[in-house]
Amino acid sequence: MSSQPSDPLAAVDALLAAVEAGQLLPAPAERIRLREAAGLTQAAVAQALGVRIPSIQAWEDGRAEPKPERLQAYRRLLDGLAQRYPAPVTPERAAPAAAPSHQAVAEAAVRPASTSRRAVAKKAATTSADPRFPHGPLAVLDGDGSAYGVDGIVLDCPADTVIELVEWTLKESGLGAARLNRNGKDSDPLIVLTASAAVKLGLPERLEGPEERRSLRLADDHPVVKQIGKAKWQLTQRGFGPWARIYRKAQGSARQCVQLAVLSWDALDTRSWPGVADMSPADIANVLGTYAQRVITPRGSTAVSGLELMTALRPPTRAVQENGTGAWVPGYNPGSLGSEPVDPAPPEAIAEHPVVVRSGWKGGFLNEEAYQWVRDPGLLSDEECLLPYAVGLDLNTAFLAAAARLVVGLSAPDRFHRPVFNKKIPGSWLADLSHLDLDPRLPSPFTPDGTRPTGPAWYQTHTLAYAQELGHDVHPVEAYLRRETGAYLDPWHDRLKTAYLDTLADLGVTAELTDAEFLAAMEHHKQADPAMAAVLSAIKATVKGGIGKLRERPQGRTYRDGDPWPAMQRPTWRPDIRAAVISKARVNMHRKLANMVKLTGLYPLAVLSDCVVYPSPGASPLDFLPYDASGKPLMGGFRLGPTPGLAKLEGVQEMSWAVDLMEKGLNPARHIKGGDAVLDDGE
């Protein structure tokens, strides 16, 4: 009940005095009009005035008025806006009030403090256009109850427990993201917890005890885990770890699921998200929000997110009408991998897989892996050794380039004896390529270590097709082929390629640059904007990790060969698709190496996955890459540029340094950048 003034006459006199002094605020509707006319968000005004967004909402709704310490500043803002954006003058309307200083308006327009102002400025349109998720896909929660979202949004989160946080997120936060495919599901909201927020919610700042650190999850008897069960919520099989998913069974089409990420439990791996965990909550929200808008709302490591993106873009089911009843039921979505896992062919599996253990398979396995090759130092010419430099080139997202228009098997494999090779059919083929005579100054295209095959072996379709391309007859002895095929990875490739190029463009690296300008831009692009550089790193890790997850191995000290493990029981456990991507990437690399010999006469010193090292007369790729008389890059060899599959400079060292490593049996491509490169397949 509202209180009544003890002296109405005195209150009226005070009100008249306030009017006389010009201390009253415009009507609520006018406050909204002025802010919107200036293009200011409620978050920007709240930040400038040092209050929360709900306070601005209450002032604009007329439900509350600013306290004295905020009243003068808020009025100063509104008066300044009124001068710049006057309402249409009517006979009944008074002239606008006198304008305050320009400084107040400038202060009110300032975005939240950020170590990456450029990233914030670029993200004017990243909040969700879906009215169900007005505050974007995620928020970073601090210990004081402030939940920082994208575009400078700051929400007031009153939760003191994990259960309260889950319910607030689902009912009040306005967080989430629309599905990426009409047959898919909306992305669950993500709440990222700072260390102080984790402690406030009853979680340890860091995982404690040897068992928790080993398993990367809270013990089942931890009070928070018990609270979740008591409130009838559930955790996934991975429990409450750095990435925890808390859910209830969906009610109709409405999902009840919240994803949590705990920063102080190393939820953001520093290799994939360099420097992000140390940023302010607002900056973390902008980095993760950019990734969510361009790729997917993070659901775990970048490898997990890469795999989840495949399913989000190619959902396993769609609504179909049942024959007879006409009822809508889930049915297979053409072009997807379906909702049930399929066993691999024995040569496509790994030694631990039940298919191999049960059958006693002894017929060998696919060995389609990335290159790790060093040329025999004895094959170096005197002219090569006298060149001053070794220059490393790195292919941009080579696995992503290989995934483009890649036809893979969608169904279970069938076995064939003495099949006629067909390069259009994806599968695994047993063939003998040991008789093929190739230049030893290039790696063999048929083995990861670049050595000549020694007898019959299993190859993926692209490897045998390349043998045909080189002019050799191919006569498989046996094959495991799939009757249903499709370009399953196409939407995955297209989305990640766009994300990669857009993020590089934000860092000043575009396709319009000349080769010299491109090299200069790449030299400093990470320093131009650390936040966007972190997004770029995460996108690249998503590509490699997503492909690696297609053959995730069993984990844990108690695992025994032949036992099923969680990863192999999902439809996306598809080692044959991983083999297809890597086979095509390796073939693409060899084709460029062979063309470079034709165009320039140069042979590589070493190759490591997507990095190749060449001897060079100068310290720049411009000194040895092939160009025509007009300066245009020649097709077929390595070319510079930001597009996936094109090259960038990896590093430069002295030629004597490279020769010394080669003589020691070490790979210069691993160290050309000045460190120790990791061959990362996401597993």
Side-chain angles (χ1 to χ4, degrees), residues 332-352:
Y332 172 68
N333 185 25
S336 77
L337 298 181
S339 56
E340 296 296 329
V342 296
D343 282 337
E348 297 168 347
I350 54 179
E352 306 95 311

Side-chain angles (χ1 to χ4, degrees), residues 93-110:
R93 183 177 296 277
S101 70
H102 295 275
Q103 180 66 23
V105 178
E107 291 172 355
V110 171

Side-chain angles (χ1 to χ4, degrees), residues 356-389:
V356 175
V357 175
R358 286 198 308 261
S359 66
W361 174 260
K362 303 294 183 183
F365 298 95
L366 277 175
N367 189 23
E368 299 287 12
E369 301 294 338
Y371 268 135
Q372 297 189 67
W373 171 82
V374 180
R375 200 204 310 180
D376 181 352
L379 297 177
L380 290 172
S381 68
D382 292 341
E383 292 80 8
E384 287 176 316
C385 291
L386 291 174
L387 290 172
Y389 295 103

